[in-house]
Amino acid sequence: MNESTFTPGGGQPGAPAQGRELSGSEGVGSVAVRTFAAHQNASPTTTAHESMDGHHVNAMAGDSAGDQSADRVADYSDPQRAAYGELPEGHFYDPDAEYEPDPEYAATLAPDAARQRRERIGPTGRPLPYFPIPGPVSEPGPAKIIAMCNQKGGVGKTTSSINLGAALAEYGRRVLLVDFDPQGALSVGLGVNPMELELTVYNLLMERGLAPDEVLLKTAVAGMDLLPSNIDLSAAEVQLVSEVARESTLQRALQPLLPDYDFIVIDCQPSLGLLTVNALTAAHKVIVPLECEFFALRGVALLTETIEKVQERLNPELELDGILATMYDSRTVHSREVLARVVEAFDESVYHTVIGRTVRFPETTVAGEPITTYASNSVGAAAYRQLAREVLARCHAE
């Protein structure tokens, strides 16, 4: 199926996704909630779940061609209809089925898509673990602070910050996104015009007595808030030079917010200047989005050196949580070679989740919302939901 013409609600191309027509508890996060409810109610011995392309997903059964139910798209609006149809011989119910890529998207992730599905070999060449759907939390906090960092621009930091945050919010986590780039791309990506803002994260850093609640903005995603930014933040790098403990300014500003959130995701600017050092000093973990391209690979060594220096001198608790491969297309030899080198060098530090290229990501930037609401049933949304589950699994493993 051509993803660029697929409409999650079954309507005409360009029609709004189902997630946008809902509100309240039926709005953002409803797909994950309803799917989880369907898993609880469905009988694993009599039903087969369908993937987002409408085909039965089976890690061992191979091609589903000829199956009459293969032409139907799963209806997520009714939990009882999220899984239906008799199980053909040799099939089994896969509780993770809705996150499997469709065949067209799988072709961008592995040269042999059939082998990938059959053996559950991930794009990194390692066996793909099962990341369980996380349960609810009773109350938020204290927050884990994640810095989305890479000194090279255009590698997917902002896209990953927005969509990881939205996916975590879908799973019931309270999330705060911090736009720490003077370009204000994260704010724009959530539909905020940076030039119209009176208060930004710059004011929170530089003005004593300013409460974070005065700067916080609610987003359209339930459970996700934003500390916006604009070009004013570029002045902070100069003004902080004369400040005492200048590297810890952001850490002090975020301290009052820790009890109110489960995750705080900082979108760093594409440099290793004082603002980025502030983000690393405040963070507990670092995620490094890495475009599968040679020039992006070269900068990882320099970034890891900076992380090690911050660990030694400023923040001993800082950890490299993982390297996230983005814009990956295995149909090119170059992408495969770059990903193989990263896995060889960093091994288990590389996320199993890989973000492939899809036209949906630039569309969401124009729309000013995450892919999880703009195209809720798209493969890009599924990839970031899987990333959220992998991040949560790593946090729980500690």
Side-chain angles (χ1 to χ4, degrees):
M1 178 177 289
N2 188 339
E3 183 192 359
S4 63
T5 60
F6 175 65
T7 307
Q12 298 301 317
Q18 283 182 337
R20 289 206 236 160
E21 299 172 358
L22 303 172
S23 62
S25 61
E26 293 297 317
V28 176
S30 57
V31 171
V33 172
R34 289 196 296 270
T35 303
F36 177 71
H39 290 166
Q40 301 299 101
N41 298 329
S43 170
T45 60
T46 60
T47 59
H49 194 79
E50 291 189 354
S51 67
M52 291 170 297
D53 62 348
H55 291 72
H56 281 291
V57 176
N58 185 345
M60 299 180 63
D63 192 4
S64 61
D67 190 341
Q68 292 182 353
S69 64
D71 295 330
R72 295 185 291 179
V73 177
D75 180 7
Y76 288 96
S77 63
D78 183 352
Q80 298 299 328
R81 295 182 60 195
Y84 56 85
E86 294 296 322
L87 270 173
E89 183 178 357
H91 285 59
F92 64 93
Y93 179 74
D94 181 359
D96 199 37
E98 74 278 14
Y99 298 102
E100 293 287 345
D102 60 41
E104 180 178 331
Y105 185 67
T108 70
L109 298 178
D112 185 354
R115 176 175 177 269
Q116 181 197 18
R117 291 193 299 273
R118 183 174 64 250
E119 302 180 9
R120 288 192 66 84
I121 299 297
T124 63
R126 300 169 294 176
L128 186 63
Y130 170 66
F131 303 112
I133 295 176
V137 291
S138 56
E139 57 183 25
K144 286 278 187 183
I145 302 179
I146 298 175
M148 198 72 67
C149 185
N150 192 329
Q151 76 271 24
K152 186 179 185 303
V155 297
K157 291 188 297 296
T158 301
T159 298
S160 296
S161 297
I162 292 173
N163 294 306
L164 173 60
L168 288 169
E170 272 194 356
Y171 291 128
R173 271 55 182 177
R174 288 276 298 164
V175 179
L176 172 64
L177 298 184
V178 181
D179 189 350
F180 216 52
D181 183 351
Q183 298 178 69
L186 187 142
S187 302
V188 172
L190 288 171
V192 176
N193 184 350
M195 306 313 297
E196 297 178 354
L197 297 171
E198 294 183 4
L199 295 174
T200 67
V201 70
Y202 165 77
N203 302 95
L204 190 61
L205 293 178
M206 305 306 301
E207 297 178 14
R208 292 183 179 179
L210 185 65
D213 290 344
E214 299 180 55
V215 184
L216 277 174
L217 298 178
K218 298 291 183 182
T219 71
V221 179
M224 188 170 78
D225 299 333
L226 169 68
L227 278 177
S229 171
N230 60 20
I231 194 64
D232 292 345
L233 186 60
S234 60
E237 198 144 20
V238 177
Q239 294 173 334
L240 285 174
V241 170
S242 58
E243 290 286 327
V244 176
R246 57 182 178 268
E247 297 90 351
S248 304
T249 306
L250 179 61
Q251 184 182 45
R252 294 192 297 273
L254 295 179
Q255 196 68 34
L257 296 169
L258 295 183
D260 300 328
Y261 295 94
D262 296 297
F263 287 92
I264 297 177
V265 181
I266 306 172
D267 181 31
C268 301
Q269 67 173 353
S271 77
L272 294 179
L274 185 55
L275 292 180
T276 300
V277 172
N278 258 267
L280 294 176
T281 303
H284 301 111
K285 297 178 180 294
V286 183
I287 294 178
V288 181
L290 176 68
E291 180 186 5
C292 293
E293 189 265 340
F294 179 68
F295 286 119
L297 177 62
R298 291 183 66 235
V300 175
L302 183 58
L303 176 59
T304 54
E305 287 182 13
T306 302
I307 293 173
E308 289 172 359
K309 289 179 181 178
V310 173
Q311 286 173 326
E312 293 173 2
R313 304 172 187 178
L314 298 167
N315 183 7
E317 297 181 2
L318 183 64
E319 297 178 357
L320 175 62
D321 192 60
I323 295 175
L324 174 64
T326 63
M327 307 181 197
Y328 178 72
D329 188 344
S330 72
R331 292 173 293 187
T332 65
V333 174
H334 186 70
S335 283
R336 298 200 302 270
E337 288 181 344
V338 169
L339 183 56
R341 282 194 185 187
V342 174
V343 173
E344 181 182 354
F346 294 95
D347 195 24
E348 291 302 317
S349 293
V350 181
Y351 284 110
H352 290 276
T353 303
V354 171
I355 310 299
R357 291 185 182 273
T358 170
V359 70
R360 289 298 191 189
F361 291 127
E363 288 178 359
T364 61
T365 303
V366 177
E369 60 180 296
I371 196 170
T372 52
T373 59
Y374 176 82
S376 185
N377 287 358
S378 70
V379 291
Y384 276 105
R385 290 189 185 108
Q386 178 173 299
L387 175 63
R389 287 154 53 215
E390 186 170 0
V391 168
L392 288 168
R394 292 192 179 204
C395 289
H396 294 159
E398 295 178 351

